[in-house]
Amino acid sequence: MNAFKGTGVALVTPFLDDYSIDFESLQRLIDHVISGGVDYLVVLGTTGEAATLTSSEKKEVLKACLKYNQGRVPVMLGIGGNNTHAVVNEIKNTDFYGIAGLLSVSPYYNKPTQEGIIAHYTAIANASPVPVMLYNIPGRTMSNMSAETTLALSHHPNIIGMKEASGNLEQCMQIASQMPKDFLLLSGDDLLTKAIQSIGGSGVISVLANALPQTFKQLTHGTEEEALKAAFSLLKINSLMYQEGNPVGIKNLLLHQGIIQSDQVRLPMLRASLELSNKIKQVFPK
């Protein structure tokens, strides 16, 4: 479980202008974040546009990430959905060689009861050959996982933590005050990392760490002064990452940095507008 403390980076999946996967840029990105000090990679999450990748493309991306990583840092794989049976089947048909953990988002669209969410995650945790990280993001799923639900699931032997992206610090405090000692409470919001760490959180799964890994190393491993400075440095750039949807902003920032060669995204997302691109250029911390 110590493998998932500090900064996990929710890797983007770079595309060429023709929408094909840009493996050259992916390798460059992985080298960039690891040399910058991230603690682990999160592959095929929301930021990786997993929803628009075919099953064969997902396998190719995962294979490439494991190859480029070369065992330098742990890898967490995203597998989730709103059809529990399908998620369990995908887990059973996935080769977990080289994968240290599974990130699975709370069921979206269906808006299940809290009891349904518990049953969903119990089935996933029972099926997974690696430890499971819960993921609460009501802004995308349209249903919140309550603190009581998270705490109930925290006692499952194969559930190791929660990526909390509700933006509700009181809910995070409720979890932190009662969670098992070895349970990991992670921020799902870059700007709230410092706040969540202050109440007993263990780090962040970050979007901006794709571009700014050293900043997040300071934020999660630095002194109090270094962490505060790093947190405040994100204030101007963070909102621009989501102005036209994720990962539109972060891909544009990576393009400006020369880490990826195109900021192409797949429909229904559109690449950054000229207006947004210019704003990112203006505030990007040099």
Side-chain angles (χ1 to χ4, degrees), residues 107-113 117 141-143:
Y108 43 82
Y109 188 74
N110 299 357
K111 298 178 76 171
T113 63
I117 292 172
T141 64
M142 301 309 296
S143 73

Side-chain angles (χ1 to χ4, degrees), residues 87-153:
V87 175
V88 168
N89 276 343
E90 185 174 352
I91 290 169
K92 289 180 177 178
N93 289 308
T94 296
D95 180 2
F96 279 86
Y97 180 79
I99 298 167
L102 177 71
L103 177 69
S104 196
V105 69
S106 181
Y108 43 82
Y109 188 74
N110 299 357
K111 298 178 76 171
T113 63
Q114 296 300 302
E115 291 78 8
I117 292 172
I118 291 172
H120 172 84
Y121 273 120
T122 300
I124 288 171
N126 288 344
S128 177
V130 295
V132 174
M133 181 71 65
L134 312 172
Y135 181 14
N136 183 36
I137 181 162
R140 286 186 180 273
T141 64
M142 301 309 296
S143 73
N144 178 54
M145 288 178 65
S146 69
E148 291 77 15
T149 292
T150 299
L151 291 167
L153 287 165

Side-chain angles (χ1 to χ4, degrees), residues 254-268:
L254 289 166
L255 175 65
H256 292 319
Q257 289 180 305
I259 296 167
I260 62 177
Q261 55 187 322
S262 171
D263 62 350
Q264 184 66 277
V265 290
R266 286 186 175 175
L267 291 168

